[in-house]
Amino acid sequence: MSVLIDGLQYANWSEKIFRQMRAGGVDAVHVTITYHETFRETVLQIERWNRWFEQYPDLIFQGRTAADVTRAQETGRTAIFFGAQNPSCMEDDIGLIEILHTLGLRFMQLTYNNQSLLATGCYEDDDTGLTRMGREVVTEMNRVGLVVDMSHSGERSTLEAIEHSTRPIAITHANPARWHPALRNKSDTVLKALGETGGMLGFSVYPHHLKGGSACNLQDFCDMVARTADLMGSGHVGIGTDLCQDHPDSIVEWMRTGRWTKRIDYGEGSAAAPGFPEMPGWFADNRDFGTIRAGLCAAGMSDAEAGAVMGGNWLRFFAKSFGAAQGSDDTVARAAE
Amino acid sequence: MSVLIDGLQYANWSEKIFRQMRAGGVDAVHVTITYHETFRETVLQIERWNRWFEQYPDLIFQGRTAADVTRAQETGRTAIFFGAQNPSCMEDDIGLIEILHTLGLRFMQLTYNNQSLLATGCYEDDDTGLTRMGREVVTEMNRVGLVVDMSHSGERSTLEAIEHSTRPIAITHANPARWHPALRNKSDTVLKALGETGGMLGFSVYPHHLKGGSACNLQDFCDMVARTADLMGSGHVGIGTDLCQDHPDSIVEWMRTGRWTKRIDYGEGSAAAPGFPEMPGWFADNRDFGTIRAGLCAAGMSDAEAGAVMGGNWLRFFAKSFGAAQGSDDTVARAAE
């Protein structure tokens, strides 16, 4: 049975969206629960999700392991896996890594766009790579089974994370810079190193990451996916739509500025277009994954290859990533089971 | 195979004490991790425990379910179950109940000695029973599988908790007031209601709860256990030593005064004896449970009855208490598995 997994979404969650996930046959989604929030604020977000899990048990449940994706398929629901787009949630306390993992966090970006305590974001002028604490934290993330996500990090930081991490890392939502040279997209050097170490790239359909932006052509996107699969290895690519559905523009402002500036920072936007960009016509919400899949086949992928991109590769990655490192004490191993 | 469970300890934990647990054949301990700490401070205590679990995997691991007690027996280790002696850890946020349960909390007192947001402690002049929030929180604790512990609560609050709770509750560490009329000990009315609803009493060996204090006679203690088993039903009693080992006296001051007063409150102590009392000669640490067991047999209990008191009853209680309530959504159920 083919599996459908989205490697990143950040929506204004609602019953409507959960029903769209079901209508689209989405088995699992990695959802962003926190950007610049402190640990306590992140826990408040988990509390919100707990309410949704209690309220909509027929639509969604919390995913913790790859087996939960299968369980989602078997019970006709969507498994929700938590992730953080910035390490603010762990504050300056390495002990919070295991705490957050126990609470279900499965992905954490070492940076958003700025320098963090751990590494350098892709908008900084100078990328100094992993910090002293960054190396310690990657080791701890490896131990407990929390995936290092470098979607928003700079080139050197990303390469150093790939090298320092003893387990494959992910870039959950980005595209190749060679196709569309945005600060957020990734060089062939990064993509090759990612694929060679067993990592995963999730292709973004967020307009700022697309050639032509909101007007990007589906076939152009799918041809890019096929070429990138050739570059990285077809087992190392998936989807990470970066779907930011139903949010007011105040949210993209929070994502970009958090509490680090009193001024406006437009990030990937501009003064002329400060809000969320319009999604491409061929991907508006969770019901449109079939369109991408058809596009991949039209780009020359076999049904099996397209299935791997649409979820099979993420599922294999989940299976090797979310449990404790082998040789760790079995308490952690068991918590991750 | 007979099982040995202590229903409450709060020690200055160390490798020495973990080794004494092993030497004493202790399969599981409910440990206090927090008194007046906020949520974030409580998480820091869990982080400390995570370090110990990582450091001493051959001696201890975190217990989450009754099956972990069996696993402890099979692997020659001690399963550590977390508990809170005050609801400060949940602050004023009912959403933290499920968060704390996910982090492994399995017991929470609705009060320490004072009025809390939830109920009335046994040192207040007037006991007004469960508060509005108290009733909501008990319902939520019932849902997720967090045991209501009324060891330090007043009579009316305790009776209302027993009545309002849809699942059996516990008094993890106290003795009958009829045997030793301390504020912290419990009336026959409470003990009978506790037993009739499937709840558990853990007998304390903390000197302030003992007839004769530190000089209390072992046989006197064991005779009291046997009589209380007759009163409550022999399936509803266990041990909850309240062992406070190796702490400096500054800790008992924190337990008693937290941040609620700037003055000294002696609690069960006095100006003449403000510190931790000396333990009775027959119970100094985790290696002395065999002495109590022998005393129970000398008090006329059969080997099977003594075994039930020393752990069998707690094990049965753990099995029905730590999972989600039947009919709850399966996310919670699964997290508790």
Side-chain angles (χ1 to χ4, degrees), chain A residues 64-65 94-108 136-148 166-167 318 320-337, chain B residues 50-51 54:
Chain A
R64 294 172 173 274
T65 68
I94 198 167
L96 286 178
I97 293 295
E98 184 168 351
I99 297 290
L100 287 162
H101 185 267
T102 302
L103 291 174
L105 203 74
R106 290 297 177 267
F107 293 88
M108 187 179 82
E136 297 298 315
V137 167
V138 168
T139 299
E140 179 70 355
M141 291 171 77
N142 288 164
R143 184 180 75 85
V144 302
L146 179 54
V147 175
V148 174
T166 57
R167 305 177 74 170
F318 283 17
K320 69 184 174 188
S321 298
F322 295 160
Q326 298 204 328
S328 291
D329 69 281
D330 77 346
T331 303
V332 174
R334 213 169 143 274
E337 260 165 26
Chain B
N50 283 342
R51 295 286 297 275
E54 197 183 344

Side-chain angles (χ1 to χ4, degrees), chain B residues 206-208 214 244 247-256 264-279:
Chain B
Y206 190 68
H208 292 309
S214 304
C244 295
H247 277 303
D249 286 340
S250 58
I251 294 295
V252 76
E253 204 176 302
W254 164 251
M255 289 157 60
R256 290 168 180 165
I264 294 178
D265 181 88
Y266 293 112
E268 297 172 298
S270 62
F276 280 110
E278 200 185 341
M279 292 297 279

